[in-house]
Amino acid sequence: SVSDKLSYGFAAIAARAGSDICGKCYQLDFAGRSRNGGNDPGAAALAGKTMIVQAINIGGDVGSGQFDIAIPGGGVGQFNACSTQWGVSSSQLGATYGGFLATCKQQQSDHQAVKNCVMQRCTSIFEAKGFSELMAACRWFVDWFQAADNPALKYGEVPCPNEIMNRGVRRNGGGGGAC
């Protein structure tokens, strides 16, 4: 997070055939409701917050207008490399799509209980293994992002901030949308 209203990150973004999205940045303005998760208190808490994300993956399983924000514990998606990299079983990482949040929402109904559950799972994997950056990102998900479930948003392409360029992808043109 940059402030209580602005954060930076990385995401998989749907690419149309022949488009060149890798390394581009997009501003996400959160609408304060969930795109498809019903009455989600986390998505409601994002009202008025903005995130700038850089496309680092073309997201073959990401729908048009969606941003699959890279969040540790957020689900391994179609191609699970995380289990091997982190030395844990797939089942420890929660639901394939939705990760810790999806699993915790099946077990809890109160939003604070869901956030506590997500944090416990983060601690048991990332903190226990000494993955401090992954733990910090998971803490961001619970605290800044409020464990929001697929929040509705408006978006548009923006110049990439230096803070993202220093850690992310440097564009060199090219085509095909490959990252």
Side-chain angles (χ1 to χ4, degrees):
S1 67
V2 177
S3 71
D4 61 344
K5 296 289 184 188
L6 176 64
S7 193
Y8 297 150
F10 303 95
I13 300 171
R16 292 183 305 271
S19 66
D20 181 18
I21 58 118
C22 190
K24 289 184 178 181
C25 286
Y26 298 86
Q27 180 171 317
L28 315 179
D29 294 317
F30 298 107
R33 64 185 188 289
S34 180
R35 179 181 168 120
N36 60 358
N39 182 20
D40 180 61
L46 289 180
K49 289 187 173 186
T50 296
M51 191 169 182
I52 297 176
V53 297
Q54 184 182 56
I56 59 167
N57 189 306
I58 60 170
D61 58 346
V62 178
S64 178
Q66 289 185 307
F67 294 80
D68 193 356
I69 301 170
I71 301 170
V76 295
Q78 190 174 16
F79 304 105
N80 177 7
C82 298
S83 295
T84 302
Q85 284 183 303
W86 299 337
V88 298
S89 70
S90 293
S91 63
Q92 287 177 280
L93 296 176
T96 301
Y97 294 97
F100 297 158
L101 179 62
T103 299
C104 290
K105 284 181 84 169
Q106 290 175 351
Q107 300 167 354
Q108 308 288 335
S109 58
D110 174 72
H111 186 61
Q112 188 58 50
V114 168
K115 288 171 57 173
N116 291 341
C117 175
V118 170
M119 188 57 75
Q120 288 170 351
R121 288 175 173 270
C122 291
T123 300
S124 72
I125 303 255
F126 305 129
E127 193 168 82
K129 292 190 166 283
F131 298 147
S132 59
E133 285 188 351
L134 297 176
M135 185 63 203
C138 203
R139 193 170 283 115
W140 167 88
F141 174 68
V142 171
D143 295 338
W144 192 93
F145 203 74
Q146 291 294 306
D149 188 0
N150 215 358
L153 53 87
K154 291 182 181 181
Y155 68 93
E157 187 176 339
V158 296
C160 290
N162 286 335
E163 293 88 343
I164 289 179
M165 294 303 296
N166 291 337
R167 297 190 66 151
V169 174
R170 293 221 178 259
R171 284 186 54 80
N172 64 355
C179 288

